[in-house]
Amino acid sequence: MSDMEVNGTKAKASDHLAGLSHSEVHYFNRFAVRAGAKHVIGVDLSTIIHKAKEIVAVNGMSNNITLLQGKMEEVKLPYEKVDIIISEWMGYFLLYESMLETVLYARDTYLAEGGLIFPDKATLFVAGIEDGEYKEEKIGFWDQVWGFDFTPLKATALTEPLVDVVEVKNVVTDPSAVLQLDLYTVRSSDLEFTKPFRLNNRRDDYVHALIVWFDIEFSSCHKPIRFSTGPHTKYTHWKQTVFYLTDELIVKHGETITGALSSRPSSENRRELDIAIQWRLDTEDPHRQSSGKSEYKM
């Protein structure tokens, strides 16, 4: 296979697209061919792949692109090894409904020695936010619904993380990086984790929830490319994941919130997650000391 240039980086020209959603399966393929890939293999389980084949044909790329319908773990590729894997595998909270394990299977089965993965690094961040008004609307709503007491549903509502856009003005603490993944070395077992965090409070305020977002990096490019899904940058469809705490924390500038974030694939469905957060407000004021643990399901 001939060489191709990927953002300035010399790489072999075989390009394998794993675990793509409906729209990406033909966009990424065509971009790879346009960039100089000798042959591209796209894998998608959905029936949209038939339309993707039509798009490939009308663009005159049928000799350069092979599209296979099925699961990555079950299809047979026309090559024993590929030189590049490209996949937009990330889900909410990075790992919810993600296709990362499929990418790892493709890496271990098909990636040639010295091959490249795009993207290849991910970092998960935690921060504390003030969100009293929305928490009252989402959680406090169950105190009384049309004159009826619905408080039994309040505990259930607290276990359901909210995926939404958080304004940066609501962020009370500095962020803390809790998890870093290198797609060249990460294993499926690493996707079950408990990681500590330490959040420094920027101002006197309340903390009603912790939010989680992720950054993604393409480190193998000539000029490394990185983008963030955090509240400090432009909107992405991943937004941020909000975990409301059972108690609101009254924090002062310079104090810290310490704790641990745990996540593991659900035993019922590995694309869903069981998440737990432990926290403690480190303060010398005995009237504001608070600690606890909350469990969530995504």
Side-chain angles (χ1 to χ4, degrees), residues 95-116:
L95 299 174
Y96 173 66
E97 290 192 339
S98 87
M99 298 298 297
L100 180 53
E101 288 191 294
T102 295
V103 175
L104 301 187
Y105 173 85
R107 177 200 67 188
D108 295 341
T109 306
Y110 294 111
L111 189 63
E113 184 176 354
L116 302 177

